[in-house]
């Protein structure tokens, strides 16, 4: 009975994995196929004659470098701002006792649960009235606002899992509160910072709706998700170039995940010594 249950669970896990991975695999494979193979009636699951022509078309598309620069600036700015502000807020919630802490946490959870689509109209009105339409600064602020609640909640959980006795021991040895946090808590918090930064990066990097709402006239202020829609013309969609562009778009997030995943899973209190 136990063996049958294990086989069933493993089969279900493999089915879910294949269902999830196959669209990504098909995107990368299609990017390397010649156009005639993409349009063939019989699909092939591996490119018989791999080509880079679609990647050349994608990279040479108008605005690629400009949109790439905008995406990097907006994403990096939003993630860094969210980490700095969320770290201070999470420390105050996890380590300090102050009036209004409970309502503050509830408000953060409520903000996290709010659907992004509900914010499109109010954010547009604010940007219009403050003359911040067609501005990368406004777009960065919006992404910061979207990722901040999750970052606070996540870092609060990581901080709460770190024993406060470690800080107290450092303070007994002569460290101030900030020095104890920097030397003892901050290194143990690295997995949490990496996990939240990865989420913030993926959120800001993939966002599409706010770009279309806030960047109206200044085409040179748009980001890569909008650039992906440029491979459609009156003759239809260039699927090879579209898949190549989508592969290039997904590559930074994939590389960042591969770079961080080794540290994200490590224990948060690794290296701590029980006294």
């Amino acid at each position: 009975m136990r063996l049958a249950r294990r086989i069933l669970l493993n089969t279900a896990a493999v089915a879910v994995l294949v269902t999830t991975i196959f669209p990504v695999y098909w995107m990368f494979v299609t990017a390397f196929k010649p156009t005639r193979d993409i349009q063939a009636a019989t699909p092939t699951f591996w490119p018989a004659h791999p080509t880079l022509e679609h990647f050349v078309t994608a990279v040479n598309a108008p605005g690629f470098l400009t949109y790439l620069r905008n995406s990097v600036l907006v994403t990096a700015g939003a993630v860094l701002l969210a980490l700095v502000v969320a770290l201070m807020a999470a420390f105050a919630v996890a380590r300090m006792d102050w009036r209004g802490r409970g309502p503050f946490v509830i408000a953060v959870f409520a903000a996290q649960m709010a659907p992004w689509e509900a914010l499109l109209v109010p954010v547009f009105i604010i940007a219009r009235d403050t003359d911040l339409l067609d501005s990368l600064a406004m777009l960065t602020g919006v992404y910061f606002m979207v990722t901040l609640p999750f970052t606070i909640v996540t870092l609060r959980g990581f901080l709460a899992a770190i024993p406060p006795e470690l800080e107290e021991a450092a303070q007994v040895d002569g460290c101030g509160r900030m020095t104890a946090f920097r030397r003892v808590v901050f290194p143990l918090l690295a997995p949490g910072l990496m996990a939240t930064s990865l989420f913030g990066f993926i959120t800001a990097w993939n966002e599409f709706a706010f770009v279309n709402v806030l960047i109206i006239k200044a085409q040179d202020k748009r980001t890569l998700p909008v650039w992906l829609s440029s491979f459609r013309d009156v003759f239809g969609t260039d699927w090879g170039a579209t898949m190549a562009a989508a592969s290039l778009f997904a590559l930074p997030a994939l590389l960042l995940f591969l770079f961080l995943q080794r540290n994200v899973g490590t224990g948060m209190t690794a290296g701590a010594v029980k006294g």
Side-chain angles (χ1 to χ4, degrees):
M1 185 67 182
R2 181 177 299 179
L3 178 61
R5 182 172 180 271
R6 181 178 299 178
I7 293 175
L8 181 62
L9 291 176
N10 290 339
T11 303
V14 171
V16 171
L17 178 63
V18 171
T19 304
T20 304
I21 295 298
F22 182 76
V24 180
Y25 165 79
W26 194 254
M27 175 185 72
F28 281 107
V29 168
T30 304
F32 289 97
K33 289 181 180 180
T35 302
R36 64 178 181 276
D37 292 345
I38 297 175
Q39 299 175 349
T42 303
T44 56
F45 292 90
W46 188 257
H49 305 284
T51 178
L52 295 177
E53 63 174 317
H54 301 308
F55 289 94
V56 174
T57 301
V59 172
N60 291 331
F64 170 71
L65 293 178
T66 300
Y67 290 175
L68 175 62
R69 180 201 63 195
N70 294 341
S71 288
V72 171
L73 290 176
V74 169
T75 302
V79 170
L80 290 176
L81 280 174
L83 285 177
V84 171
V85 175
L87 183 59
M88 294 186 290
F91 182 82
V93 172
R95 288 287 193 264
M96 300 179 181
D97 188 12
W98 42 279
R99 181 179 298 179
R101 183 175 66 170
F104 174 80
V105 174
I106 294 174
V108 171
F109 273 104
Q112 172 64 24
M113 292 185 294
W116 298 350
E117 292 80 4
L119 303 176
L120 287 172
V121 173
V123 167
F124 172 80
I125 294 175
I126 293 172
R128 182 196 61 190
D129 294 345
T130 55
D131 198 25
L132 285 175
L133 289 175
D134 298 315
S135 167
L136 289 180
M138 183 64 186
L139 201 58
T140 302
V142 170
Y143 293 164
F144 160 72
M145 172 192 68
V146 169
T147 57
L148 183 61
F150 175 86
T151 309
I152 293 176
V153 171
T154 305
L155 290 182
R156 171 180 172 267
F158 277 93
L159 275 168
I162 298 176
E165 290 80 10
L166 296 176
E167 291 177 80
E168 296 170 0
Q171 290 174 337
V172 169
D173 290 339
C175 293
R177 185 159 197 174
M178 290 304 300
T179 304
F181 177 82
R182 178 170 55 85
R183 292 186 177 181
V184 178
V185 177
F186 191 78
L188 300 177
L189 195 60
L193 293 173
M194 292 180 180
T196 52
S197 64
L198 181 60
F199 167 82
F201 178 88
I202 293 175
T203 301
W205 188 259
N206 292 336
E207 206 286 318
F208 181 83
F210 280 108
V211 182
N212 278 332
V213 171
L214 299 178
I215 309 298
I216 302 175
K217 298 179 180 178
Q219 299 295 320
D220 60 334
K221 297 294 180 63
R222 296 196 165 190
T223 55
L224 283 177
V226 178
W227 171 73
L228 281 174
S229 64
S230 64
F231 297 96
R232 187 178 184 87
D233 52 30
V234 293
F235 300 104
T237 301
D238 185 347
W239 289 112
T242 301
M243 294 299 103
S247 300
L248 292 173
F249 176 72
L251 194 59
L254 178 61
L255 293 177
L256 182 63
F257 173 78
L258 293 176
F259 176 74
L260 295 181
Q261 60 92 21
R262 282 181 275 178
N263 296 318
V264 169
T266 60
M268 289 176 293
T269 55
V273 178
K274 292 184 179 180

